[in-house]
Amino acid sequence: MSDVVLRVRDLVTHFETSSGLIKAVDGVSFDVHKGQVLGLVGESGSGKSVTGFSILGLIDPPGRIVSGSIELNGQELVGLSEEAMRQKRGKALAMIFQDPMMTLNPVLRIDTQMVEAIQAHEKVSKQAALARAREALVRVGIPSPDERLRAYPHQFSGGMRQRVAIAIALLNRPALIVADEPTTALDVTIQSQILAEMQDLCAETGTALIWITHDLTVVAGLAQQVAVMYAGRVVECGTVDDVLDRPTHPYTEGLLGSLPAAAIPGQPLRQIPGSTPSLGRLPPGCAFAPRCSYTSEACQQSAPSITTLPNGSLVRCHHPLSQP
């Protein structure tokens, strides 16, 4: 039996605005396997978060999923009614937001929120729900769980609130969790602890995880697969080792070259020139061509298609970088 939990194919999500059509997600495809972490990376405005919201069915007008397929354990999610998606969210699908206060109600105690999250999907007693909530807090490394269950969100630090949000996402043992840059606002010590815990939890429970981030160093230590997005499209996808050690798309190479750790001491960073294009006014041909040092006439005239490389990686480029 296949261990593919999520299969996304040719996903297209558009937004109708007063300034024109915004192609936020334009033909995105990838798979996420059981117990696997997929890093979805790219600059701000590349379409990462909209891809996550599309999977969760959280796209509201003026946005809409135009076409494509999103299958969760073989069931098609595109086209499901709002009530059917509501039943999926929190049970089979869960999301961890960048700001934990988007998950937590500031006027309710933690135990109330966690019990309601369980009883919304299962008919269990309050005592059984409390026991599961306590177990979830212990799993994410929160000390004194009984005391913390009786606390309010404002009594937690930012890192502890994010741990509670992760615990709530895990309550109903979902098949897939989408995490939208949940550690960006945390200090590096807390961030590393949460990353290690998430990696262990996925391995133990078999939950698939999509980790949306702009930080390649986080992906390097957390994920097994990585998909690099630019201007609403996946431009490179493969294993973490292949993509980060041997990038084949100039954009991926530019992101890696911009990391301080990759710079020669005393030398300036190798920044990508220019800025990301407006998704409402994409250039003809390859969207990255105006910023690319390898651009040619073909790049200016036609958008590249996805190519499968000998190592199994996928790249969307007319002139993929040479492999060693």
Side-chain angles (χ1 to χ4, degrees), residues 118 124-133:
I118 295 171
V124 298
S125 67
K126 182 178 180 180
Q127 289 72 24
L130 275 172
R132 194 192 296 181

Side-chain angles (χ1 to χ4, degrees), residues 235 248-250 286 292 299 304-307 315-321:
V235 296
T248 55
H249 196 282
C286 176
C292 182
C299 304
S305 57
I306 283 284
T307 302
V315 63
R316 188 188 297 271
C317 184
H318 287 300
H319 310 293
L321 307 180

Side-chain angles (χ1 to χ4, degrees), residues 82-161:
E82 177 55 34
E83 178 59 30
M85 282 302 301
R86 188 179 294 115
Q87 293 299 319
K88 290 285 185 186
R89 287 193 293 266
K91 178 65 175 176
L93 287 165
M95 187 158 193
I96 305 169
F97 295 93
Q98 182 172 346
D99 181 2
M101 294 309 286
M102 293 182 68
T103 300
L104 302 176
N105 189 322
V107 300
L108 294 179
R109 293 193 335 186
I110 298 301
D111 56 0
T112 301
Q113 299 187 53
M114 297 185 79
V115 167
E116 287 183 352
I118 295 171
Q119 292 182 329
H121 297 281
E122 295 183 40
K123 293 182 178 180
V124 298
S125 67
K126 182 178 180 180
Q127 289 72 24
L130 275 172
R132 194 192 296 181
R134 184 185 186 281
E135 178 187 346
L137 292 185
V138 171
R139 183 178 293 173
V140 297
I142 293 181
S144 307
D146 295 315
E147 178 184 348
R148 294 298 189 176
L149 281 170
R150 296 189 294 271
Y152 288 87
H154 73 270
Q155 295 175 285
F156 290 78
S157 66
M160 294 294 275
R161 280 198 293 263

Side-chain angles (χ1 to χ4, degrees), residues 240-255:
V240 166
D241 289 341
D242 284 336
V243 173
L244 300 189
D245 292 343
R246 297 171 293 276
T248 55
H249 196 282
Y251 177 60
T252 310
E253 182 188 54
L255 289 178

Side-chain angles (χ1 to χ4, degrees), residues 3 7 17 19 46-47 52 66 83 166-167 173 212 224 274 291:
D3 65 347
R7 191 185 304 275
T17 70
S19 58
S46 61
V66 176
E83 178 59 30
I166 293 171
R173 305 175 184 91
I212 298 171
Q224 293 84 41
R291 309 174 68 188

